[in-house]
Amino acid sequence: MFNKKKNNDKDENIVNPENTSENPVENAEPTDATVNDTEQAPELSAEEKLQAEVQQLNDKYLRLYAEFDNYKRRTQKERVELLQTAGKDVIVSLLPVLDDFDRALKAMETAADVAPVKEGILLVSTKLKNTLAQKGLKDVSSINEPFNTDFHEAITNIPAPNEDLKGKVIDEVEKGYTLNDNVIRFAKVVVGA
């Protein structure tokens, strides 16, 4: 029943040319515009797709590499600047001590008595030690302490004067220091054997 009606409609379309001009939607012939659309977007082959993906990944890699290289240069420059200015704070805090030493040297030229000069040098030494202590410098206590390789460097062993000093530090040749709890110079010591 439906097939007959469809066939009748087709016959009407063929017989009646006026009907085709009135309903252009029913007359679904491809136009030049639709043909051009399919020609403009040809499908890429699998090889071309892979080449495009490789090119995109290479571009991404090069950008990341350049970005990382810039990061390395920037951090290296910052590190150099930090090292150049890191000691500035300590140097500025030591300048008054240097001035005190200059005044002490001037006073020693005209001094007749040794006691005031000695007292002045002790004051300058105390000021220097206090300034360095404020910056985190501490001396390592060594004498009569057990020998510890984390803080001490043994110069020599000598026979211990008594049994209590065996394995302990008897004498200190050079004082050791820590800066913010990190050893910056080991104490050179003589150990009792």
Side-chain angles (χ1 to χ4, degrees):
M1 181 164 146
F2 291 109
N3 289 337
K4 288 181 182 180
K5 187 172 187 178
K6 284 184 182 178
N7 288 336
N8 289 338
D9 288 340
K10 286 182 183 177
D11 291 339
E12 285 178 15
N13 283 338
I14 295 171
V15 175
N16 189 1
E18 293 174 359
N19 194 14
T20 57
S21 62
E22 289 178 11
N23 295 326
V25 175
E26 290 177 7
N27 190 7
E29 293 180 14
T31 62
D32 288 338
T34 56
V35 171
N36 287 342
D37 287 343
T38 57
E39 289 177 3
Q40 288 177 357
E43 292 211 17
L44 297 175
S45 68
E47 184 178 323
E48 290 172 339
K49 285 181 183 179
L50 289 175
Q51 285 177 347
E53 187 178 343
V54 165
Q55 182 64 30
Q56 183 181 14
L57 290 174
N58 278 341
D59 185 50
K60 189 176 183 180
Y61 167 75
L62 287 175
R63 289 178 189 273
L64 276 173
Y65 183 78
E67 203 172 306
F68 180 69
D69 196 38
N70 290 339
Y71 167 77
K72 278 187 354 185
R73 272 193 243 125
R74 185 177 61 244
T75 55
Q76 187 175 19
K77 182 181 176 186
E78 289 172 356
R79 189 178 306 129
V80 167
E81 289 175 359
L82 180 65
L83 289 174
Q84 289 175 344
T85 60
K88 180 182 176 185
D89 186 37
V90 174
I91 298 297
V92 168
S93 65
L94 291 177
L95 289 177
V97 176
L98 186 62
D99 293 337
D100 289 346
F101 271 118
D102 290 339
R103 283 191 285 272
L105 289 172
K106 223 179 244 186
M108 282 177 27
E109 292 174 1
T110 59
D113 193 14
V114 177
V117 173
K118 185 177 178 182
E119 186 180 328
I121 297 294
L122 286 173
L123 286 173
V124 173
S125 175
T126 304
K127 187 174 186 178
L128 175 63
K129 287 179 182 179
N130 287 339
T131 302
L132 292 174
Q134 288 174 354
K135 300 299 177 188
L137 186 73
K138 294 178 185 173
D139 59 336
V140 175
S141 60
S142 298
I143 297 181
N144 294 330
E145 295 286 327
F147 178 72
N148 185 351
T149 57
D150 291 337
F151 298 105
H152 305 127
E153 180 181 338
I155 300 295
T156 186
N157 289 339
I158 62 169
N162 58 36
E163 289 295 316
D164 293 340
L165 293 178
K166 279 191 176 183
K168 291 189 177 182
V169 175
I170 294 174
D171 191 21
E172 184 176 56
V173 177
E174 190 175 79
K175 191 173 267 303
Y177 292 98
T178 61
L179 181 64
N180 299 324
D181 297 328
N182 294 319
V183 176
I184 59 172
R185 186 171 83 179
F186 292 97
K188 294 183 179 173
V189 297
V190 176
V191 181

